[in-house]
Amino acid sequence: MKIKARLDFLRKELAEHNHSYYVLDTSTISDFEFDKLLKELVKLEDENPEFFDSTSPTQRVGGRVTDGFKTVAHKYRMLSLGNTYSEEDLYDFDRRLHKLTDYEIEYVCELKYDGVSISLTYENGDLTQALTRGDGTQGDDVTANVRTIKSIPLKLKGDYPSNFEIRGEIFIPVKGLEKMNKLRNEEGLEPYKNPRNTASGSLKLLDANEVSNRPLDCYLYYLLGDNLPTDNHYENLQKAKEWGFKIPNEISKYNSIDDVLKFTERWDKKRHDLPYEIDGIVIKVNDINLQEEMGFTAKSPRWAISYKFKALQVSTKLIEITYQVGRTGAITPVANLEPVQLAGTTVKRASLHNADYIAKLDIREGDKVYVEKGGEIIPKVVGVKLNDRDLFSQITEYIANCPSCNTELVRKEGDAKHYCPNSESCPTQIKGKFEHFISRKAMDIDGLGGETIELLINEGLIKEISDLYHLKKEDLLPLERMAEKSVDNLLIGLEQSKLISFERVLFGLGVRFVGETVAKVLAKHFKTIDNIINTDIETLIAVDEIGEKIAESVLNYFSNKENLKRLNNLKESGLQFVSTIEDTTKSSNLNGMKIVVSGVFNQNSRVEYKKMIEEHGGKNVSSISKNTTFILAGKNIGPSKKQKAEDLKIPLINEFEFLSKID
Ligand code: IVH
């Protein structure tokens, strides 16, 4: 019983610290101490599986991958809100409600979070279900994903009703999106532009592990059930706060619509100081009996309404359209604007996305354009003041050649962007590639910065990254701004960079779509550069986190003769091309085997089986071919897969047979 008591203690303690950190925004323990307790809990749980508890802090990510989401009917319909856009609309709302009742009306004003709505069910204090809105009548069961959101309690405290639902909004804070975009940028991917779509996309990821890496947060704003603690909305939310939910502090009660209006005006100005996006204010009748009396229309409650802020927009002159070339060759058109104030910052440039966007809006140089800062972080041109257009204005002709090297641009089917294919000698791309290679997260070369790179390129001393390691003191000393000390520093920095780990070298190469994370995954999986060079598409795609797009880009890079020459050169210079990431091999029982995992399993999750296959020397492949060794088949394996296996005479093995193979 001592063990059970310790387990209970650790679970409660860790849940409390999580609550302080993720809900109350205060820290009550050091990371080190927290990890220590968590490790102890994981160990105790592993050793004592009979005390399993799905609400334990260790159970946020179950490592489950699903094929899709179950559709489940909502117990209470999930309605949306009517919208208002003006003072007048709000007065109308107030008049309408006063016609429905003789009582005084108390309003609650809340912020309108710009995310995705979620409905959480708690039974006896445990989170049992999380549904998306869907069509309002039925939604998707995204419980596994929602469990990864640390501000959502898995277990409640205090005197909560035995059964209730609570609804709220899942969102990505501004800083969180910025962080995600920084990573995407490093991987050569387009930034996520809209926090709401990104939150919604994250909730629909099939791998809860991946969801747990997304900076999702959740505010709760609506309690439903038969035994709610009080008969007014405001108090109920305060109670819910005591049970452990993250309830917004920016919530106020007012007795008149004039005060409500003041609240909306205040937040319209202050909203850009918030760490998350809001797109308006929600106004609700506080008294629940009154709410019930007022009831619902077909689509929305009569007792609540949303007041939407106008998107921040200004108009200014588009002076010139210029084009940026990224290090991977992607072209981005940019509007250079007459400087204008918008949401507290001076905007001089705005995104024009791509050729289709410019054509669709018929954006031309010299136009007066509308610039908006909406849910997106980067301002964008959203329209043209056609009445103000100059008579002689010219339709924008998208550039056909690279602004840096004049090579004809290409645009692949399915790509929104044009590319400069001259990756070998386009100066801007090359400079970008150098800057990426020497950057802190890649080779981190001391004594070398953007300016020196430019100088060395201009002097003809470096044409590609491998040239860096052939620089000699006597070549550098005669250069402007290159005193003996800086030359020594540079050469020492280069020498030291030869010790940088393989995954960082791989990241530094600048393969399209291979950012820090993917580089790590590849290094860990393939161990050596030669294994990566010699791999095939099937093997690549079978690696966790590697999709078709990344796989194609990797194959493309490593089949290019110039790149292979470059790699050889770097190898000879002594850079690291073998991974030192810990070897997790447990046996060679599955060596050389190509295994397809399919269906639903009882003993372990699919991700766990895939991991086991790798740990025992096997390879995960995604589709059945004549080279497949066997299929690890769970329940509900698709009929076409079964047929294919039969046709090709590939054996099906169940999870128990599999486990005995690796035992
Ligand atoms: S209350 C029946 N409160 O806005 C009332 N909704 O346009 C249910 N939203 O579907 C909603 N912040 O996703 C409510 N403080 C808030 C909200 C809020 C954002 C979202 C919610 C809803 C949509 C309606």
Side-chain angles (χ1 to χ4, degrees):
M1 215 45 226
K2 256 169 99 187
I3 291 173
K4 177 73 172 59
R6 184 70 188 158
L7 273 171
D8 286 346
F9 168 78
L10 287 169
R11 285 169 178 164
K12 200 154 169 250
E13 183 79 8
L14 286 164
E16 272 301 325
H17 291 305
N18 265 337
H19 178 255
S20 302
Y21 189 76
Y22 292 102
V23 178
L24 306 176
D25 272 340
T26 55
S27 193
T28 44
I29 187 171
S30 70
D31 288 358
F32 177 77
E33 281 299 319
F34 185 92
D35 284 343
K36 211 168 97 185
L37 294 180
L38 189 64
K39 269 200 194 118
E40 187 189 341
L41 179 58
V42 169
K43 185 158 176 272
L44 268 187
E45 287 184 345
D46 271 356
E47 291 165 356
N48 303 282
E50 68 276 24
F51 296 131
F52 174 81
D53 181 346
S54 67
T55 65
S56 166
T58 57
Q59 299 303 308
R60 288 216 174 252
V61 192
R64 294 276 178 272
V65 173
T66 109
D67 286 337
F69 301 100
K70 222 175 34 195
T71 310
V72 178
H74 286 294
K75 187 167 169 198
Y76 309 95
R77 278 222 299 149
M78 246 179 128
L79 297 166
S80 70
L81 295 171
N83 287 325
T84 58
Y85 296 90
S86 66
E87 217 175 277
E88 209 28 58
D89 289 347
L90 278 185
Y91 282 121
D92 279 350
F93 168 69
D94 185 52
R95 270 194 290 272
R96 247 185 349 257
L97 292 194
H98 276 103
K99 274 192 198 150
L100 292 173
T101 181
D102 295 328
Y103 290 105
E104 286 214 348
I105 300 174
E106 186 176 44
Y107 290 115
V108 176
C109 291
E110 297 167 15
L111 306 185
K112 186 170 189 296
Y113 305 94
D114 198 9
V116 262
S117 41
I118 193 78
S119 188
L120 309 174
T121 303
Y122 284 81
E123 287 169 55
N124 300 316
D126 293 355
L127 171 67
T128 53
Q129 184 172 270
L131 298 181
T132 63
R133 177 151 110 203
D135 63 3
T137 311
Q138 47 182 28
D140 285 334
D141 182 337
V142 289
T143 316
N145 287 349
V146 163
R147 291 171 66 91
T148 69
I149 303 173
K150 304 261 195 357
S151 54
I152 294 181
L154 299 180
K155 201 174 195 60
L156 304 178
K157 45 188 185 173
D159 56 343
Y160 44 78
S162 58
N163 199 311
F164 67 94
E165 282 190 31
I166 188 160
R167 291 182 179 167
E169 201 84 354
I170 292 177
F171 62 93
I172 295 187
V174 178
K175 282 254 153 52
L177 192 77
E178 277 172 14
K179 229 188 238 161
M180 283 174 77
N181 278 340
K182 221 170 138 217
L183 285 178
R184 278 182 79 79
N185 185 27
E186 278 158 10
E187 291 178 17
L189 297 170
E190 284 272 299
Y192 291 117
K193 298 207 176 86
N194 179 314
R196 172 160 29 95
N197 292 347
T198 315
S200 152
S202 302
L203 259 199
K204 295 286 176 68
L205 288 170
L206 296 175
D207 184 349
N209 258 310
E210 220 179 298
V211 184
S212 71
N213 291 327
R214 301 271 169 115
L216 296 170
D217 205 342
C218 180
Y219 270 134
L220 284 315
Y221 49 60
Y222 187 28
L223 207 58
L224 291 122
D226 297 331
N227 299 305
L228 299 185
T230 78
D231 59 6
N232 76 77
H233 170 69
Y234 186 91
E235 295 294 326
N236 280 345
L237 289 187
Q238 301 316 312
K239 282 277 175 204
K241 192 184 268 182
E242 288 168 20
W243 307 333
F245 290 108
K246 188 159 176 162
I247 305 293
N249 288 324
E250 293 75 16
I251 169 170
S252 299
K253 291 185 282 185
Y254 298 110
N255 285 317
S256 80
I257 200 74
D258 287 317
D259 288 340
V260 168
L261 263 164
K262 281 189 197 132
F263 184 92
T264 63
E265 280 159 16
R266 212 166 45 246
W267 278 107
D268 196 354
K269 291 201 189 85
K270 281 209 310 193
R271 67 180 157 131
H272 297 289
D273 303 333
L274 289 166
Y276 42 79
E277 304 271 352
I278 60 169
D279 59 349
I281 300 294
V282 178
I283 300 127
K284 302 173 183 172
V285 170
N286 193 20
D287 187 317
I288 294 179
N289 295 319
L290 212 50
Q291 287 183 0
E292 275 166 14
E293 218 178 291
M294 293 170 172
F296 296 84
T297 69
K299 278 197 241 138
S300 47
R302 287 203 184 85
W303 46 267
I305 203 153
S306 88
Y307 172 83
K308 289 264 202 137
F309 297 134
K310 287 174 200 69
L312 276 182
Q313 212 181 63
V314 283
S315 68
T316 185
K317 188 173 167 184
L318 195 174
I319 304 167
E320 191 192 8
I321 297 174
T322 53
Y323 299 85
Q324 282 179 344
V325 188
R327 71 174 157 81
T328 58
I331 306 289
T332 307
V334 178
N336 293 268
L337 308 164
E338 222 156 64
V340 61
Q341 283 294 116
L342 180 62
T345 53
T346 310
V347 178
K348 291 185 204 138
R349 290 148 68 80
S351 173
L352 290 169
H353 307 295
N354 53 50
D356 288 349
Y357 190 77
I358 295 177
K360 196 174 103 203
L361 295 182
D362 186 18
I363 300 168
R364 307 181 186 187
E365 288 182 342
D367 276 350
K368 263 253 161 130
V369 290
Y370 294 104
V371 182
E372 198 173 283
K373 215 170 186 174
E376 298 81 13
I377 289 158
I378 309 159
K380 58 178 184 183
V381 172
V382 291
V384 177
K385 255 185 173 174
L386 287 174
N387 295 342
D388 283 4
R389 175 169 280 170
D390 191 282
L391 262 182
F392 300 104
S393 91
Q394 300 280 321
I395 293 183
T396 299
E397 222 176 285
Y398 203 78
I399 48 166
N401 296 74
C402 174
S404 174
C405 69
N406 208 30
T407 303
E408 199 174 324
L409 301 179
V410 292
R411 185 174 170 188
K412 281 206 205 111
E413 222 184 282
D415 268 353
K417 293 212 156 178
H418 286 71
Y419 278 86
C420 166
N422 183 17
S423 57
E424 286 305 315
S425 44
C426 171
T428 311
Q429 281 189 60
I430 288 175
K431 188 163 167 257
K433 284 188 171 79
F434 271 112
E435 282 174 350
H436 173 72
F437 184 72
I438 64 171
S439 66
R440 211 172 38 84
K441 289 197 170 156
M443 305 305 282
D444 193 18
I445 301 176
D446 261 351
L448 194 55
E451 276 181 30
T452 315
I453 286 291
E454 207 165 333
L455 179 72
L456 297 176
I457 294 177
N458 290 344
E459 292 292 331
L461 287 174
I462 52 170
K463 286 201 177 65
E464 52 178 277
I465 48 181
S466 56
D467 294 338
L468 283 171
Y469 295 93
H470 299 295
L471 287 171
K472 293 196 185 57
K473 193 164 178 175
E474 56 268 30
D475 299 331
L476 297 168
L477 276 176
L479 302 182
E480 220 179 300
R481 283 183 290 125
M482 282 296 210
E484 176 136 11
K485 185 127 198 287
S486 3
V487 171
D488 285 346
N489 273 346
L490 201 168
L491 293 174
I492 291 171
L494 281 165
E495 208 44 46
Q496 280 172 345
S497 77
K498 292 181 184 168
L499 298 174
I500 294 283
S501 63
F502 173 41
E503 72 254 30
R504 280 171 62 181
V505 177
L506 194 53
F507 169 59
L509 293 177
V511 183
R512 206 170 153 206
F513 307 131
V514 179
E516 245 186 309
T517 326
V518 173
K520 232 179 241 165
V521 171
L522 290 172
K524 188 165 171 210
H525 186 91
F526 290 98
K527 309 275 185 302
T528 71
I529 194 84
D530 293 326
N531 287 341
I532 300 182
I533 293 171
N534 295 323
T535 189
D536 51 37
I537 188 115
E538 229 190 4
T539 317
L540 270 167
I541 293 179
V543 180
D544 252 354
E545 295 182 56
I546 308 289
E548 214 166 291
K549 216 163 135 181
I550 301 175
E552 267 174 21
S553 166
V554 169
L555 288 182
N556 206 352
Y557 183 94
F558 290 103
S559 59
N560 177 314
K561 279 208 185 85
E562 291 300 318
N563 288 338
L564 293 178
K565 237 180 17 207
R566 199 164 289 150
L567 287 172
N568 251 332
N569 211 323
L570 290 171
K571 240 189 219 172
E572 279 166 17
S573 296
L575 272 65
Q576 303 298 317
F577 283 105
V578 176
S579 169
T580 49
I581 299 176
E582 208 183 317
D583 193 356
T584 50
T585 315
K586 292 196 175 145
S587 86
S588 54
N589 291 8
L590 305 176
N591 260 4
M593 298 189 186
K594 294 190 166 177
I595 301 162
V596 172
V597 182
S598 180
V600 180
F601 299 92
N602 291 324
Q603 303 297 310
N604 298 285
S605 72
R606 197 174 330 172
V607 176
E608 282 156 352
Y609 278 124
K610 283 191 168 177
K611 202 165 133 216
M612 286 181 209
I613 288 173
E614 278 170 19
E615 287 168 348
H616 293 272
K619 267 192 184 153
N620 286 291
V621 286
S622 51
S623 58
I624 303 170
S625 74
K626 63 179 189 332
N627 297 325
T628 310
T629 318
F630 62 83
I631 296 156
L632 169 54
K635 268 188 299 199
N636 300 337
I637 144 165
S640 67
K641 264 202 178 135
K642 240 182 183 162
Q643 188 60 50
K644 194 158 182 198
E646 220 165 82
D647 292 348
L648 295 170
K649 300 201 171 56
I650 313 280
L652 261 63
I653 283 183
N654 70 30
E655 51 187 326
F656 297 102
E657 290 166 312
F658 174 80
L659 289 170
S660 71
K661 261 185 197 295
I662 61 168
D663 196 4

